[in-house]
Amino acid sequence: MSRLSLLALAAALGLAVPALAAPPADTIRVALNGDLRSTDPGTKRDDNTDAVILHVVEGLVAYREDASVGPMLAESWAVSDDGKTYTFTLRDGVKFQNGAPMTSAEVVWSWKRWLDPKTEWRCLPELDGRGRMKIESVEAPDPKTVVFKLNAPSALFLATIARTDCAEGAVIHPDSVGADGKWIKPIGTGPYRLETWEPGQYVLLKRFDGYASRDGDRDGYTGGKKALAETVRFAIIGDPAAAKTALLSGDIDLVPDVSIADKQEIDGQKGVRTELAQTLSMSAILIQTRDPLMKDVRIRRALALAIDNSQIAQAVTQGTSPPNPSVIPSASPYHTAVEEQGYTPNVEEAKKLLAEAGYSGQPIKMLVNRKYQSVYDTAILAQALAQQAGIAIELEVLDWGAQLDRYTSGDYQTMSFSYSARMDPALSYEMVSGPKDKQPRKVWENPEALKLIQDAMITSDPKQRQVIFDKLHRMQIEDVPLIVTYNGAEIAAVSDRLEGYKPWTASKPRLWNVAIKN
């Protein structure tokens, strides 16, 4: 049994935990709740893989703190008048972790690899014509310039190549693969290089002393990056209780994602603290607008008037997340005063709408699961709030897989559900909107809304996009295909040994600009 497992067992039995040896002075120790799937960026991957590898590799652009896209390895870019050509100017002085200078040749080589179907890159379907756009060519007219040509204009091109699940379209050195084309390990441009991966045990990153940082402060995955620790060690600890025990006993410096219940416990302990950031995930009550009962918009509006998302957000998140009535996350730069407007709770008005619709207490099924406690708690509260207006909600508790199948097939009246983050508002709307005949999982199929979403995917001007998103929000509130309650929060548990660590919107740990106290 490992030391961490023994610590967890001792804590569970109420036994004293022996004092630990002093931690290495130059190493940040992080708990990772699962092993890497590979070290090949954006291919065989999951969130843990991305979290580690994005310390090693970087792309031309990256997401800022506010989920907008900023320059990373590119100093700047220009877009042609027809919106189909993107010309990137590379930064000076950037080196790979083998000491070689980065030029446009390596950018082109990397992108040809990502666009090769044999690589099985995560974002290939978005960029090879199967999705919304196609990269027709990637060219290097000179050592500092890279030109991408698309088949059609798209406002989502930069947002797509910046995606963390696609490893930001990482620029890597050709020596990352062998002469036979087989993957060896990533040789990137990031502040840390991959030193050791012991599957099932740990991943060790070592500071890249030749790293060329951008100017300024840390800003999402761009901005200034400084590797202040010599090494970062990600320990694979699958059990949350064991990870918490390791933190409290001093074996670990950081648990990047803890529950609200754990936050309350950790906040009462000496030597540790919690840090919080709002994320782009979304909790909502979905409504099947083709259901014989729920197709009446008056019933949907009555439900929205009865379900107070302020009460739900406060109770379910223990105040860690504010209410949000909009599909556009609170942390998005496109979330304005318009997106704050929703339904003000009004039981009497809800009863009036129900009477007009001829509703007489017919039961409304709400699907839910117990795997995600916040989803279940939201349903319980929604049921109680709806009852005050005379709406009879009956909960049907399924296992997560069964609920997901019902969601995918559109087979429900209502359900409590959560969506993972989408970094661009057009994608946030796209995840819930579409023709149900072709995509039964979609919630909203208003033809005008679908046209506006397509416009938002083409239009690049922020002011024009804001107008579109504001209109979509007002239409969403009018149609009530879903009732958005709140966006999630990333809660990190941090040892007082560290300073400078902050979670952020993308729900990924960043260990640059983090220092170890003396």
Side-chain angles (χ1 to χ4, degrees), residues 135-341:
I135 296 176
E136 294 190 329
S137 65
V138 184
E139 301 171 350
D142 61 61
K144 282 196 61 176
T145 307
V146 180
V147 179
F148 287 73
K149 293 186 178 179
L150 310 181
N151 66 326
S154 174
L156 298 179
F157 174 62
L158 294 176
T160 300
I161 67 173
R163 279 169 47 176
T164 58
D165 59 330
C166 307
E168 299 175 359
V171 177
I172 55 177
H173 193 274
D175 287 351
S176 300
V177 301
D180 57 0
K182 290 185 178 180
W183 181 254
I184 301 174
K185 72 173 186 177
I187 301 174
T189 60
Y192 286 96
R193 59 181 176 82
L194 179 62
E195 180 78 1
T196 309
W197 174 28
E198 289 291 341
Q201 299 182 49
Y202 68 91
V203 184
L204 187 69
L205 306 183
K206 190 168 184 179
R207 180 167 58 208
F208 171 36
D209 290 328
Y211 181 68
S213 176
R214 296 192 65 88
D215 293 334
D217 297 330
R218 175 178 53 199
D219 191 1
Y221 268 116
T222 182
K225 297 181 181 180
K226 296 180 180 179
L228 300 179
E230 178 68 22
T231 55
V232 176
R233 188 180 192 274
F234 292 90
I236 314 303
I237 311 175
D239 179 13
K244 182 176 66 175
T245 299
L247 175 77
L248 295 176
S249 61
D251 257 351
I252 288 293
D253 300 312
L254 170 67
V255 183
D257 185 12
V258 299
S259 68
I260 293 171
D262 283 341
K263 177 185 187 307
Q264 294 171 334
E265 178 183 351
I266 291 166
D267 284 341
Q269 303 287 331
K270 291 183 178 180
V272 293
R273 67 187 187 278
T274 57
E275 300 281 355
L276 183 148
Q278 296 302 312
T279 71
L280 305 180
S281 62
M282 183 179 81
S283 175
I285 303 295
L286 310 187
I287 304 173
Q288 178 51 268
T289 57
R290 290 190 174 185
D291 177 77
L293 187 64
M294 304 310 296
K295 69 180 181 181
D296 192 322
V297 71
R298 294 170 295 185
I299 296 177
R300 302 200 301 271
R301 290 172 184 166
L303 187 60
L305 286 165
I307 294 179
D308 184 351
N309 66 353
S310 296
Q311 287 192 45
I312 289 177
Q314 175 63 35
V316 174
T317 75
Q318 298 295 304
T320 59
S321 294
N324 176 22
S326 177
V327 170
I328 297 181
S330 300
S332 170
Y334 288 99
H335 187 102
T336 69
V338 172
E339 282 67 35
E340 288 293 318
Q341 299 168 13

Side-chain angles (χ1 to χ4, degrees), residues 9 16 20 40 46 71 135 144 172 214 218 228 293 299 302 326 379 438 444 470 480 496 501 516:
L9 178 60
L20 296 172
D40 194 347
D46 58 12
I135 296 176
K144 282 196 61 176
I172 55 177
R214 296 192 65 88
R218 175 178 53 199
L228 300 179
L293 187 64
I299 296 177
S326 177
K438 294 181 179 179
W444 196 21
D470 289 351
V480 203
D496 286 346
Y501 181 80
I516 301 170

Side-chain angles (χ1 to χ4, degrees), residues 9 49 65 155 159 229 323 398 447 461 478 507:
L9 178 60
T49 307
E65 209 83 16
L398 305 174
D461 181 77
E478 184 76 12
S507 301

Side-chain angles (χ1 to χ4, degrees), residues 320-440:
T320 59
S321 294
N324 176 22
S326 177
V327 170
I328 297 181
S330 300
S332 170
Y334 288 99
H335 187 102
T336 69
V338 172
E339 282 67 35
E340 288 293 318
Q341 299 168 13
Y343 281 89
T344 301
N346 190 326
V347 170
E348 294 307 314
E349 182 64 24
K351 290 179 178 178
K352 180 180 177 182
L353 285 172
L354 293 170
E356 291 176 1
Y359 176 78
S360 56
Q362 300 95 313
I364 297 172
K365 287 285 183 67
M366 181 175 291
L367 305 189
V368 70
N369 70 85
R370 292 301 298 265
K371 179 178 180 179
Y372 299 105
Q373 189 64 39
S374 61
V375 171
Y376 181 77
D377 291 345
T378 294
I380 291 290
L381 290 166
Q383 181 187 42
L385 291 166
Q387 183 60 46
Q388 296 177 20
I391 302 173
I393 290 180
E394 295 181 355
L395 301 187
E396 183 177 350
V397 182
L398 305 174
D399 65 59
W400 169 236
Q403 183 181 353
L404 193 59
D405 288 343
R406 295 279 291 274
Y407 160 76
T408 302
S409 64
D411 181 17
Y412 60 90
Q413 279 187 294
T414 66
M415 74 163 61
S416 180
F417 197 72
S418 64
Y419 289 92
S420 57
R422 303 294 191 274
M423 300 297 280
D424 187 273
L427 297 178
S428 296
Y429 274 109
E430 190 272 341
M431 76 181 174
V432 302
S433 308
K436 294 187 179 188
D437 288 334
K438 294 181 179 179
Q439 299 172 295

Side-chain angles (χ1 to χ4, degrees), residues 117-134:
K118 294 179 182 178
T119 304
E120 299 182 344
W121 184 50
R122 170 71 175 84
C123 274
L124 181 62
E126 304 291 338
L127 295 166
D128 67 355
R130 285 178 284 174
R132 303 175 189 89
M133 69 196 94
K134 180 180 181 180

